[in-house]
Coordinates of all heavy atoms in Angstrom, one line a residue:
Y39 N 3.3 -4.7 7.4 CA 3.3 -5.7 8.4 C 2.2 -5.3 9.4 O 2.4 -5.3 10.6 CB 4.7 -5.7 9.1 CG 4.9 -6.8 10.1 CD1 4.8 -8.1 9.8 CD2 5.2 -6.5 11.5 CE1 5.0 -9.1 10.7 CE2 5.4 -7.5 12.4 CZ 5.3 -8.8 12.0 OH 5.5 -9.8 12.9
F50 N 1.1 -15.9 10.2 CA 2.5 -16.2 10.5 C 2.8 -17.7 10.6 O 3.9 -18.1 10.8 CB 2.9 -15.5 11.8 CG 2.6 -14.1 11.9 CD1 1.9 -13.5 13.0 CD2 3.0 -13.2 10.9 CE1 1.6 -12.2 13.0 CE2 2.7 -11.9 10.9 CZ 2.0 -11.3 12.0
N53 N 5.5 -19.2 8.2 CA 6.9 -18.9 8.6 C 6.8 -18.3 10.0 O 6.7 -17.0 10.2 CB 7.6 -17.9 7.6 CG 9.0 -17.5 8.1 OD1 9.6 -18.2 8.9 ND2 9.5 -16.4 7.6
P54 N 6.9 -19.1 11.1 CA 6.7 -18.6 12.5 C 7.7 -17.5 12.8 O 7.4 -16.7 13.7 CB 7.0 -19.9 13.3 CG 6.6 -21.0 12.4 CD 7.0 -20.6 11.0
Q55 N 8.9 -17.4 12.2 CA 9.8 -16.3 12.5 C 9.2 -15.0 12.2 O 9.5 -14.0 12.9 CB 11.1 -16.5 11.7 CG 12.0 -17.6 12.2 CD 13.3 -17.6 11.4 OE1 13.3 -17.9 10.2 NE2 14.4 -17.3 12.1
A56 N 8.3 -14.9 11.3 CA 7.6 -13.7 10.9 C 6.8 -13.1 11.9 O 6.4 -11.9 11.8 CB 6.8 -13.8 9.6
S57 N 6.4 -13.8 13.0 CA 5.6 -13.3 14.1 C 6.4 -12.3 14.9 O 5.9 -11.5 15.7 CB 5.1 -14.4 15.0 OG 6.1 -15.1 15.6
D58 N 7.8 -12.3 14.8 CA 8.7 -11.4 15.5 C 8.9 -10.1 14.7 O 9.5 -10.2 13.6 CB 10.0 -12.1 15.8 CG 11.0 -11.3 16.5 OD1 10.6 -10.1 16.9 OD2 12.1 -11.7 16.7
P59 N 8.4 -9.0 15.2 CA 8.6 -7.7 14.4 C 10.0 -7.4 14.2 O 10.3 -6.8 13.1 CB 7.9 -6.7 15.3 CG 6.9 -7.5 16.1 CD 7.6 -8.8 16.4
A60 N 10.9 -7.7 15.1 CA 12.4 -7.5 14.9 C 12.9 -8.2 13.6 O 13.7 -7.7 12.9 CB 13.2 -7.8 16.1
Y61 N 12.4 -9.4 13.4 CA 12.8 -10.2 12.2 C 12.3 -9.5 11.0 O 13.1 -9.4 10.0 CB 12.1 -11.6 12.3 CG 12.2 -12.4 11.1 CD1 13.3 -13.3 10.8 CD2 11.2 -12.4 10.1 CE1 13.4 -14.0 9.7 CE2 11.2 -13.2 9.0 CZ 12.3 -14.0 8.8 OH 12.4 -14.8 7.6
I62 N 11.1 -8.9 11.0 CA 10.6 -8.2 9.8 C 11.4 -7.0 9.5 O 11.7 -6.7 8.3 CB 9.1 -7.9 10.0 CG1 8.3 -9.2 10.2 CG2 8.5 -7.0 8.9 CD1 8.2 -10.0 8.9
V63 N 11.7 -6.2 10.6 CA 12.5 -5.0 10.3 C 13.9 -5.3 9.7 O 14.4 -4.7 8.8 CB 12.7 -4.1 11.6 CG1 13.5 -2.9 11.3 CG2 11.3 -3.8 12.2
K64 N 14.5 -6.4 10.3 CA 15.8 -6.8 9.7 C 15.7 -7.2 8.3 O 16.6 -6.9 7.4 CB 16.4 -7.9 10.6 CG 16.8 -7.5 12.0 CD 17.3 -8.7 12.8 CE 17.6 -8.3 14.2 NZ 18.0 -9.5 15.0
L65 N 14.6 -7.9 8.0 CA 14.3 -8.3 6.6 C 14.2 -7.1 5.7 O 14.7 -7.1 4.5 CB 13.1 -9.2 6.5 CG 12.7 -9.8 5.2 CD1 13.8 -10.7 4.7 CD2 11.4 -10.6 5.3
I74 N 8.8 0.4 5.8 CA 8.0 -0.7 6.5 C 6.8 0.0 7.1 O 6.8 1.0 7.7 CB 8.9 -1.4 7.5 CG1 8.1 -2.5 8.2 CG2 9.4 -0.5 8.6 CD1 9.0 -3.5 9.0
L80 N 3.7 -1.8 17.6 CA 4.9 -2.3 17.1 C 6.0 -1.2 16.8 O 7.2 -1.4 17.0 CB 4.7 -3.2 15.8 CG 3.8 -4.3 16.0 CD1 3.8 -5.3 14.8 CD2 4.1 -5.2 17.3
F84 N 9.4 -1.6 18.8 CA 10.5 -2.3 18.0 C 11.2 -1.3 17.0 O 12.4 -1.5 16.8 CB 9.9 -3.4 17.1 CG 9.5 -4.6 17.9 CD1 8.2 -4.7 18.4 CD2 10.4 -5.6 18.3 CE1 7.7 -5.7 19.2 CE2 9.9 -6.7 19.0 CZ 8.6 -6.8 19.5
Y88 N 15.9 0.5 15.1 CA 16.3 0.6 13.7 C 16.0 2.0 13.1 O 16.1 2.1 11.9 CB 15.7 -0.5 12.9 CG 15.8 -1.9 13.5 CD1 14.8 -2.4 14.3 CD2 17.0 -2.6 13.3 CE1 15.0 -3.7 14.9 CE2 17.1 -3.9 13.9 CZ 16.1 -4.4 14.7 OH 16.3 -5.6 15.3
W273 N 7.3 -12.3 3.4 CA 7.7 -12.8 4.7 C 7.0 -14.1 5.1 O 7.4 -14.7 6.2 CB 7.6 -11.8 5.9 CG 6.4 -11.0 6.0 CD1 6.2 -9.7 5.6 CD2 5.1 -11.4 6.5 NE1 4.9 -9.2 5.9 CE2 4.2 -10.3 6.4 CE3 4.6 -12.6 7.0 CZ2 2.9 -10.3 6.8 CZ3 3.2 -12.6 7.4 CH2 2.4 -11.5 7.3

Side-chain angles (χ1 to χ4, degrees):
Y39 190 60
F50 309 130
N53 176 19
Q55 285 184 296
S57 66
D58 178 4
Y61 171 87
I62 297 296
V63 181
K64 291 176 183 176
L65 182 62
I74 180 169
L80 301 189
F84 292 91
Y88 309 94
W273 46 255

